[in-house]
Amino acid sequence: MKTWLQAVLSVVLLVGFLVLAVALVVAVGAFGLGYGTDGDGSGTREFRPLIVGAAGTVLFALVFTLGRVLTRRPAPLTGILLSPEQAPELWRIVRDLAARVGTREPDDVRLVAEANAAVTEEVRLLGLLPGRRTVILGLPLLPAYTVDQIRAVLAHEMGHFSGRHTRSVRIALRARMIIVGTAQNTVDGVLRAVLSAYARLFVAVEQSISRQMEYEADRYAVAVAGRDAMVNALREIRLVGTGWDGYLADHVLPAYDRGHLPEDLFEGFTAYLAECRGEIRERSVEVAPAEPAWWESHPPLRERIAALRFVPDVPVIPDRRPATVLVPDLDTAGRRLRDSLFDRPGTRLLPWDRLTPALAHRSALEHADPLYRAAARLTGRPDADLGLLLDLLAEDRCLDLARELAPDAAEEDALRSLTVAYEGALEAAAVDSAAASWRHSWSGQPELSTTAGEPLPLGELVDLSADPATVPAARDRLAALGIRTTVTPAAAPTT
């Protein structure tokens, strides 16, 4: 379907919706203000407030939604701009691809912290007049892709420009906002059901068109970048997206919540992807939907890959260099992007080899601190340490300590809280005694290792400490590991 036909269809469906909504308001409102008949056959005006109110909600929803859409300004683009001087080879590829697909080259290239690529155009008059064009490239793609694959991805995006998809999408988006917004803002009932049914029809038609645009852009990509590069890029995109989401959720955001960030945010993702690629690939298959939702704008990846088998291939000169070469000073670009993404004042920046130990030790202290306070209250001693905890355990006061630690919990839960807190005390004492240190792990939790490079036998130490008869053996084992029981525990951080 040609772009202008897509735009016309969106406008026609929008006009149809407006006619439907106004007709419902008029018809239902007239019925609510209709005439009744007395027993003698004379007519009287009969007011039905509930029916009139229902018509009023549709009218209000329509006017309210139209006002929001017409006054809405596009959100500012995120990320950082890359000038031709900062990324000359990337710009050369973008310009070459634009010429090959027969479209005007973009005005900007913007680097973002997303595992995706896209294009935007600041069109005017609802897409009738062209505007400023921007290519959006996700930095997480660079360490995962080769130059060939990035070239195919960019060719796909240039295909959207060449097919004028960015213009028709703007019209469809405005129409969708009006139709769906009016249906959502209408009070539940028959009228909302009618409007919602029309909205579903519009979205289904619109998304069908959007999927055809993706197939068309894929054909552009194969025509200039080759089939293998595009197929490989599509196969890897879910892996990169799943990996980036997991990296943020498991490693970056927990640190940020505690006031820290890695200095090497994107370099860390490169290491994470290299070490956990197999695990990430399995997870990406698990999160892939069996069937896409009917409103999805993109076809399933397997269908896009299958469709490319029928697209004529072109010979290309392979370029399997890592795509990171396209941005020469990637470290600086990554730091700028990190600062634009995480801008909380007072955030402490550390390299991963210092960040993970700092946060793990802080977590151990946070678990241990309430236990030390409970022991101090129980004994009246202000200088509680690991030695005092062992004294209480040797006196068979484990349950007393648990109740002091968690007075409102059931006995089993209190003992479980005691175990967790005691493990934290052992971990903190081992680090404070310089007998062990935390090591970062991309594939799991941080690992606490002794100076001999072996895992700290935490379970063994807890088991020995749990029985008053074996507490002396626990002391001997701690001494053999170099863990001092008299070390003054640091207070848990309050920030």
Side-chain angles (χ1 to χ4, degrees), residues 454-477:
E454 300 176 350
L456 184 73
L458 197 60
E460 176 191 350
L461 294 172
V462 171
D463 290 342
L464 290 173
S465 303
D467 186 347
T470 57
V471 169
R475 293 183 186 273
D476 292 341
R477 188 74 173 103

Side-chain angles (χ1 to χ4, degrees), residues 96-234:
D96 175 67
L97 292 173
R100 286 175 177 269
V101 300
T103 189
R104 175 170 60 89
E105 69 180 48
D107 302 284
D108 298 316
V109 173
R110 188 173 285 269
L111 206 60
V112 298
E114 299 174 13
N116 197 12
V119 287
T120 66
E121 186 171 2
E122 298 175 5
V123 294
R124 295 165 290 171
L125 292 180
L126 293 178
L128 298 178
L129 296 179
R132 190 173 188 84
R133 291 179 168 184
T134 301
V135 172
I136 298 172
L137 180 62
L139 194 151
L141 296 179
L142 298 180
Y145 276 19
T146 64
V147 173
D148 277 342
Q149 292 168 333
I150 284 293
R151 190 168 180 272
V153 168
L154 292 173
H156 171 96
E157 301 304 334
M158 291 300 106
H160 283 308
F161 282 144
S162 184
R164 295 181 176 85
H165 301 162
T166 49
R167 300 192 195 180
S168 58
V169 163
R170 180 62 62 90
I171 300 175
L173 177 61
R174 293 293 181 96
R176 178 174 179 166
M177 292 171 61
I178 293 171
I179 294 173
V180 175
T182 301
Q184 290 177 338
N185 290 322
T186 300
V187 177
D188 285 337
V190 176
L191 296 180
R192 177 168 181 169
V194 173
L195 296 178
S196 296
Y198 193 103
R200 288 177 65 90
L201 170 64
F202 176 84
V203 173
V205 172
E206 177 204 355
Q207 299 305 63
S208 175
I209 295 171
S210 296
R211 294 185 185 193
Q212 293 304 315
M213 290 179 180
E214 295 304 317
Y215 286 124
E216 184 180 345
D218 285 346
R219 291 193 291 271
Y220 275 110
V222 171
V224 299
R227 183 189 298 146
D228 287 346
M230 188 58 192
V231 168
N232 290 334
L234 289 175

Side-chain angles (χ1 to χ4, degrees), residues 20 28 42 64 72 138 148 177 182 301 338 380 409 468:
L20 173 64
V28 174
S42 61
F64 175 75
R72 178 178 178 269
D148 277 342
M177 292 171 61
T182 301
L301 289 176
R338 178 203 63 202

Side-chain angles (χ1 to χ4, degrees), residues 350-368:
L350 290 173
W352 277 115
D353 60 354
R354 291 177 55 197
L355 175 59
T356 296
L359 292 180
H361 188 53
R362 174 175 171 174
S363 178
L365 290 173
E366 289 173 346
H367 284 109

Side-chain angles (χ1 to χ4, degrees), residues 103-424:
T103 189
R104 175 170 60 89
E105 69 180 48
D107 302 284
D108 298 316
V109 173
R110 188 173 285 269
L111 206 60
V112 298
E114 299 174 13
N116 197 12
V119 287
T120 66
E121 186 171 2
E122 298 175 5
V123 294
R124 295 165 290 171
L125 292 180
L126 293 178
L128 298 178
L129 296 179
R132 190 173 188 84
R133 291 179 168 184
T134 301
V135 172
I136 298 172
L137 180 62
L139 194 151
L141 296 179
L142 298 180
Y145 276 19
T146 64
V147 173
D148 277 342
Q149 292 168 333
I150 284 293
R151 190 168 180 272
V153 168
L154 292 173
H156 171 96
E157 301 304 334
M158 291 300 106
H160 283 308
F161 282 144
S162 184
R164 295 181 176 85
H165 301 162
T166 49
R167 300 192 195 180
S168 58
V169 163
R170 180 62 62 90
I171 300 175
L173 177 61
R174 293 293 181 96
R176 178 174 179 166
M177 292 171 61
I178 293 171
I179 294 173
V180 175
T182 301
Q184 290 177 338
N185 290 322
T186 300
V187 177
D188 285 337
V190 176
L191 296 180
R192 177 168 181 169
V194 173
L195 296 178
S196 296
Y198 193 103
R200 288 177 65 90
L201 170 64
F202 176 84
V203 173
V205 172
E206 177 204 355
Q207 299 305 63
S208 175
I209 295 171
S210 296
R211 294 185 185 193
Q212 293 304 315
M213 290 179 180
E214 295 304 317
Y215 286 124
E216 184 180 345
D218 285 346
R219 291 193 291 271
Y220 275 110
V222 171
V224 299
R227 183 189 298 146
D228 287 346
M230 188 58 192
V231 168
N232 290 334
L234 289 175
R235 284 175 175 164
E236 293 295 296
I237 190 64
R238 182 173 286 128
L239 178 142
V240 181
T242 302
W244 178 246
D245 291 343
Y247 173 69
L248 291 179
D250 297 339
H251 298 280
V252 178
L253 294 180
Y256 189 56
D257 290 341
R258 290 170 169 259
H260 291 70
L261 268 182
E263 288 180 347
D264 48 354
L265 176 65
F266 294 97
E267 295 87 340
F269 177 62
T270 303
Y272 170 74
L273 199 61
E275 184 171 325
C276 305
R277 196 177 191 89
E279 176 189 339
I280 296 169
R281 188 176 297 281
E282 292 180 4
R283 198 160 66 241
S284 69
V285 173
E286 293 174 0
V287 301
E291 291 295 335
W294 63 273
W295 60 82
E296 289 288 345
S297 61
H298 284 55
L301 289 176
R302 63 179 178 276
E303 293 183 12
R304 292 174 65 183
I305 292 173
L308 292 180
R309 297 173 185 168
F310 304 98
V311 178
D313 200 4
V314 296
V316 294
I317 300 175
D319 189 343
R320 297 186 177 90
R321 292 177 298 162
T324 50
V325 302
L326 299 177
V327 183
D329 195 358
L330 193 59
D331 290 345
T332 299
R335 287 194 295 271
R336 290 174 56 206
L337 188 54
R338 178 203 63 202
D339 293 342
S340 69
L341 185 64
F342 301 100
D343 56 357
R344 182 186 301 159
T347 300
R348 187 183 181 192
L349 299 175
L350 290 173
W352 277 115
D353 60 354
R354 291 177 55 197
L355 175 59
T356 296
L359 292 180
H361 188 53
R362 174 175 171 174
S363 178
L365 290 173
E366 289 173 346
H367 284 109
D369 188 60
L371 180 58
Y372 284 129
R373 294 178 186 272
R377 290 193 301 270
L378 200 59
T379 61
R381 286 177 50 183
D383 56 342
D385 54 18
L386 185 58
L388 179 59
L389 297 181
L390 289 168
D391 291 341
L392 290 171
L393 296 174
E395 296 169 6
D396 200 14
R397 300 188 67 184
C398 176
L399 187 56
D400 293 339
L401 190 56
R403 286 171 174 164
E404 187 66 32
L405 175 66
D408 298 327
E411 181 176 311
E412 183 178 350
D413 293 336
L415 289 172
R416 189 179 298 111
S417 298
L418 174 62
T419 300
V420 173
Y422 186 63
E423 289 176 348

Side-chain angles (χ1 to χ4, degrees), residues 27-46:
V28 174
F31 180 72
L33 297 173
Y35 285 90
T37 303
D38 290 339
D40 58 1
S42 61
T44 59
R45 182 175 293 277
E46 186 175 346

